[in-house]
Amino acid sequence: MDFLDDDLLDYVTSHSEDEPQLLKELNRETWQKVLQPRMLSGHYQGRLLSLISKLCQPKSILEIGTYTGYSALSLAEGLAKDGVLHTIDRNEELHDLQRKYFDKSDFSDQIKQYVGDAKKVIPKISGNFDLAFIDADKSSYPKYFELIVDRLNPGGLILSDNVLWSGKVIEKLDPKDKDTKALLEYNKILKDDKRVETVILPIRDGLTLSRKV
């Protein structure tokens, strides 16, 4: 998932903001107890999400794909005092672990959890969003974009994870590979859609930053 060699990545991480203690604990517990721990945003990407959120100071954040809550807690660091973060995940088995760390944080009352299919949950959440983070089933990325883009406030941001998909986006496409096909479609949508301006950042597995015009 990383495009830098380990030594250079260690240098980048060590010269970036330190990982908060609570997120260190969540990181450790995720690796100890949860399947596919590499799905965790982790120290470096988490600090990037935090900084972007702090620059935006969003009143409303939408996250699609909570996993164990690391990215939600990172994004919540930039919330306005009266802001709310809505985070959705289809895996109900992770709900209690997420809540455990949300309740340990300073943002417990500002984070709202939802369990279920995000495509069905998003229309039930009222209001617009200042910041959205998409990190869920890749085959649904184009649909998530359409559900979000018109509800994004002007100047709002969509962050999309895994858009380089371990380099598969430049390899010969396997007709059976629905995820890569969807990501190729999604990346083209973001490039061509005049409602947003987009830059792909080659961070970890690829992170797209799209701004609502």
Side-chain angles (χ1 to χ4, degrees):
M1 291 174 64
D2 294 312
F3 294 94
L4 298 178
D5 66 46
D6 290 343
D7 290 340
L8 193 53
L9 185 60
D10 287 344
Y11 180 87
V12 168
T13 301
S14 65
H15 287 78
S16 298
E17 193 70 15
D18 292 338
E19 184 179 33
Q21 182 59 37
L22 180 63
L23 292 181
K24 285 183 181 180
E25 295 172 13
L26 174 54
N27 196 333
R28 183 165 54 249
E29 186 164 354
T30 298
W31 279 88
Q32 289 174 343
K33 299 180 180 180
V34 183
L35 293 174
Q36 298 180 303
R38 285 175 62 83
M39 290 172 58
L40 194 80
S41 288
H43 176 184
Y44 179 65
Q45 184 169 312
R47 291 305 84 206
L48 177 62
L49 296 178
S50 170
L51 186 57
I52 291 173
S53 185
K54 288 171 181 174
L55 290 169
C56 297
Q57 296 185 317
K59 288 188 176 181
S60 181
I61 299 175
L62 174 67
E63 178 182 54
I64 305 173
T66 315
Y67 191 48
T68 58
Y70 193 104
S71 54
L73 288 169
S74 299
L75 291 165
E77 293 176 24
L79 272 173
K81 289 185 179 180
D82 58 345
V84 177
L85 186 150
H86 305 273
T87 184
I88 309 166
D89 202 284
R90 63 170 66 245
N91 188 351
E92 62 181 328
E93 294 181 0
L94 294 175
H95 181 277
D96 291 347
L97 177 59
Q98 298 161 6
R99 193 73 249 172
K100 170 184 171 182
Y101 282 91
F102 293 162
D103 287 344
K104 285 184 176 183
S105 76
D106 295 332
F107 317 106
S108 176
D109 295 335
Q110 294 176 276
I111 299 177
K112 294 187 177 182
Q113 289 170 278
Y114 304 82
V115 176
D117 183 345
K119 294 186 290 294
K120 297 178 180 179
V121 174
I122 293 169
K124 298 178 181 178
I125 300 174
S126 61
N128 289 346
F129 309 110
D130 298 308
L131 176 61
F133 181 48
I134 304 175
D135 186 14
D137 56 306
K138 311 311 165 191
S139 61
S140 296
Y141 271 34
K143 179 62 176 178
Y144 293 146
F145 176 76
E146 287 303 328
L147 286 170
I148 293 170
V149 65
D150 287 332
R151 295 181 58 187
L152 201 66
N153 288 321
L157 300 176
I158 299 176
L159 305 173
S160 311
D161 203 11
N162 304 116
V163 295
L164 297 180
W165 209 222
S166 299
K168 291 182 182 179
V169 291
I170 60 170
E171 297 174 357
K172 184 178 180 180
L173 179 64
D174 180 345
K176 297 179 181 179
D177 187 347
K178 295 181 179 179
D179 288 335
T180 301
K181 182 179 179 181
L183 285 169
L184 289 168
E185 178 189 350
Y186 181 69
N187 291 339
K188 188 174 189 308
I189 288 170
L190 292 183
K191 176 66 169 63
D192 295 343
D193 196 305
K194 300 305 180 184
R195 290 172 290 182
V196 294
E197 51 185 347
T198 291
V199 173
I200 293 180
L201 306 176
I203 294 169
R204 294 188 76 228
D205 199 24
L207 181 71
T208 296
L209 179 62
S210 303
R211 175 183 176 272
K212 179 73 175 288
V213 176

